[in-house]
Amino acid sequence: MTLSPTFPLSVPLVDLGAQQQEIAEEVESGIRSVFARTSFIGGPEVAEFEQAYAGFLGARHCVGVANGTDALELGLRAAGVGPGGEVILPANTFIATAEAVSRIGAVPVPVDVDPDYLLIDPARVSEAVTAATQAIVAVHLFGQTAFVEKLKAAAFGCGAVIVEDAAQAQGASRHGRFAGTLGTVAGTSFYPGKNLGAAGDAGAVLTNDDAIAARVRLLGAHGSSVKYEHDAIGMNSRLDTIQAVVLNSKLRRLAAWNERRREAAARYSEMLRDVPGIVLPRTADGNVDVWHLYVIRILDRDRVLAALNGAGIGAGIHYPVPMHLSRAYRHLGLCRGSFPVAEEAAATMLSLPIYPHITERQQEYVIGQLLAAMDRS
């Protein structure tokens, strides 16, 4: 295959427009129905989506909420995590994972990630477990599934619950079971750029535990299951009916879209297979990944990123600052060098465009520009 770095082409990091074109007629019809019935809050489309997504994953319950951060917070609260409890989570994650912990008064305890997949490292979790540990958060990053069975072994004896952050792994699986069904409770985000994305903010809590599901519904409805009767201090976090219309339409296509992501990832890996100076992502044994992101590691990352962006390629970084080095978590007292794998990854990770509708021609352009930028280093 000849890779040309010369022809101009725009390649976004995510192409939501192509998705929208595929579902436009279906979504417009659904939205017209919602407005005709004026069923804006808790319409039948919400229950339809909750049942369909639970069925897709093989979960007993799916509870729609307003966004992914709320989903994690409500999942933690419903599982019994509370003020002062320690919650172990990876340093290499989006800040929302830690925010959900902090918002309930619990204490985030970051640990390093493994060097091969950049997922929470079970060995480091075992070292961090204390009598105060109430939960371990398995973040299924980049479309992978974390090693939940090893995290359960690390939690044995301390009674910690396993909470999954499944925002980047909708449809991913480990040993035949879907991400979001492996722990006690899971939170997921349907932010527009996710594999299963809404047309705005949306999220869900997944669990096989009847009591946890009921608690999430109660807490997300102002602590009320009967109008004007409030049994707990809750919050207002509901899945919007319009977003449910979009999600129902996209869910019917999710398996096919994830397969197209796998094909795109395989093309990238083949084109970059023999290129020195690049660490390619790979799939762990037992995992079926859904490639929410295609993340390589490369030296001189920032200069290469600037070159790609200048060529019309929407490459990005996920994530440039580990949560323990952010200003928001300076109070944890963790300095540079605390988690060397996560910190090295933050300096070298580069996310290449990947989405179900990316074309081989677009990918050839991305790789051609990437190689040209590397040659200039």
Side-chain angles (χ1 to χ4, degrees):
M1 179 180 296
T2 300
L3 302 175
S4 170
T6 57
F7 61 94
L9 195 66
S10 176
V11 188
L13 182 63
V14 178
D15 189 350
L16 297 181
Q19 287 188 10
Q20 177 57 27
Q21 288 178 13
E22 187 172 333
I23 65 172
E25 185 175 340
E26 197 173 296
V27 168
E28 288 168 8
S29 175
I31 290 174
R32 284 196 299 270
S33 176
V34 171
F35 273 81
R37 290 181 281 107
T38 64
S39 54
F40 303 119
I41 302 295
E45 291 82 0
V46 174
E48 178 187 345
F49 173 73
E50 290 178 338
Q51 293 168 10
Y53 193 49
F56 177 83
L57 297 179
R60 187 173 175 86
H61 299 282
C62 170
V63 182
V65 298
N67 57 70
T69 311
D70 283 1
L72 289 172
E73 177 180 344
L74 288 164
L76 286 161
R77 288 183 64 183
V81 180
E86 293 180 355
V87 178
I88 300 173
L89 69 163
N92 181 36
T93 186
F94 183 55
I95 198 73
T97 313
E99 283 179 326
V101 174
S102 298
R103 279 168 35 169
I104 63 173
V107 180
V109 179
V111 297
D112 213 346
V113 294
D114 78 272
D116 295 321
Y117 308 103
L118 304 181
L119 297 167
I120 187 169
D121 189 337
R124 304 289 81 78
V125 171
S126 295
E127 295 169 355
V129 167
T130 72
T133 303
Q134 293 186 355
I136 299 168
V137 181
V139 179
H140 304 313
L141 206 62
F142 306 153
Q144 308 171 92
T145 305
F147 311 125
V148 174
E149 72 282 1
K150 296 180 181 179
L151 298 178
K152 288 179 177 179
F156 183 77
C158 74
V161 297
I162 303 296
V163 177
E164 298 172 75
D165 182 339
Q168 295 189 8
Q170 291 137 355
S173 65
R174 179 157 182 80
H175 299 307
R177 294 179 59 193
F178 283 109
T181 68
L182 301 171
T184 305
V185 65
T188 194
S189 166
F190 303 123
Y191 184 80
K194 304 301 185 187
N195 289 43
L196 179 60
D201 277 317
V205 178
L206 302 155
T207 186
N208 291 323
D209 188 303
D210 295 349
I212 288 178
R215 187 67 175 172
V216 169
R217 288 197 185 279
L218 180 83
L219 294 173
H222 298 288
S224 173
S225 57
V226 178
K227 192 172 184 178
Y228 299 133
E229 294 182 14
H230 304 275
D231 301 317
I233 298 174
M235 58 197 291
N236 178 17
S237 188
R238 297 175 289 211
L239 176 61
D240 181 81
T241 304
I242 296 296
Q243 303 305 336
V245 169
V246 176
L247 291 168
N248 277 319
S249 182
K250 289 189 175 183
L251 179 58
R252 287 188 277 272
R253 295 162 171 83
L254 179 59
W257 284 356
N258 280 344
E259 183 57 35
R260 286 157 69 174
R261 285 176 180 269
R262 282 189 281 270
E263 292 169 357
R267 285 197 295 268
Y268 272 144
S269 294
E270 178 60 26
M271 287 187 277
L272 292 171
R273 181 165 51 93
D274 297 320
V275 177
I278 295 179
V279 178
L280 297 180
R282 55 195 181 94
T283 297
D285 290 343
N287 275 4
V288 177
D289 297 342
V290 294
W291 299 97
H292 175 64
L293 297 168
Y294 187 91
V295 179
I296 65 174
R297 282 178 272 175
I298 185 172
L299 297 176
D300 203 13
R301 188 269 316 279
D302 293 343
R303 187 193 59 78
V304 172
L305 174 61
L308 292 176
N309 292 164
I313 296 169
I317 306 172
H318 300 85
Y319 298 99
V321 181
M323 58 83 56
H324 67 288
L325 297 181
S326 68
R327 288 190 294 273
Y329 283 98
R330 186 178 296 164
H331 63 278
L332 295 180
L334 296 166
C335 60
R336 190 169 298 278
S338 298
F339 307 116
V341 179
E343 292 167 25
E344 188 274 338
T348 59
M349 288 186 293
L350 178 64
S351 299
L352 301 181
I354 192 165
Y355 41 88
H357 299 84
I358 195 168
T359 66
E360 188 170 350
R361 181 170 178 261
Q362 287 176 311
Q363 289 187 272
E364 289 176 354
Y365 179 62
V366 170
I367 299 306
Q369 292 294 333
L370 173 63
L371 298 181
M374 292 177 65
D375 286 342
R376 293 193 292 269
S377 62

